[in-house]
Amino acid sequence: MIPRRVRRRPAPAHAGTRRRRGDGEGGSGTVLVLVVAMLVLAAAGTAALAGVATAVRHRAETAADLAALSAAAAAARGGAACPTAAGVAAANGAAMATCRVEGWTVDVSVHLQPRGPLGALPAAHASARAGPVSLGGAPPDSEP
């Protein structure tokens, strides 16, 4: 057998040269990905806190509405309006701040502190007013 000659291709011009570290671009993609990931996490955390704050505000508004409605119903029956409102507010996780009764109309304000690890957030405040619409808030035997 006759050995066949193997023809080699010429080496590219950059063959034998290595990229040297320290050329200013090594690892820049990693840093960029980390920065973007941190920004995404910060945005997600901010959105989560905003959602929790909104939920706490809604719970405070619900507690104030229910407390005012129950107090107005108690006032219409001749019962104690403010203790009823305080009990309903407490049952909804809120604390009653003020309660004012004028005839059959009751103005209630409550505050609700977030629970758990988010308890350091400020309390949500809400107020509500309830009473009979047809009587303008005054008992039927009182003068307008």
Side-chain angles (χ1 to χ4, degrees), residues 39-70:
L39 289 174
V40 168
L41 287 174
T46 302
L49 283 177
V52 167
T54 301
V56 169
R57 181 177 53 92
H58 283 276
R59 285 183 50 221
E61 290 172 352
T62 300
D65 288 342
L66 292 174
L69 287 170
S70 64

Side-chain angles (χ1 to χ4, degrees), residues 13 15 21 56 85 92 133 135:
R21 291 188 183 248
V56 169
N92 284 283
V133 175
L135 298 174

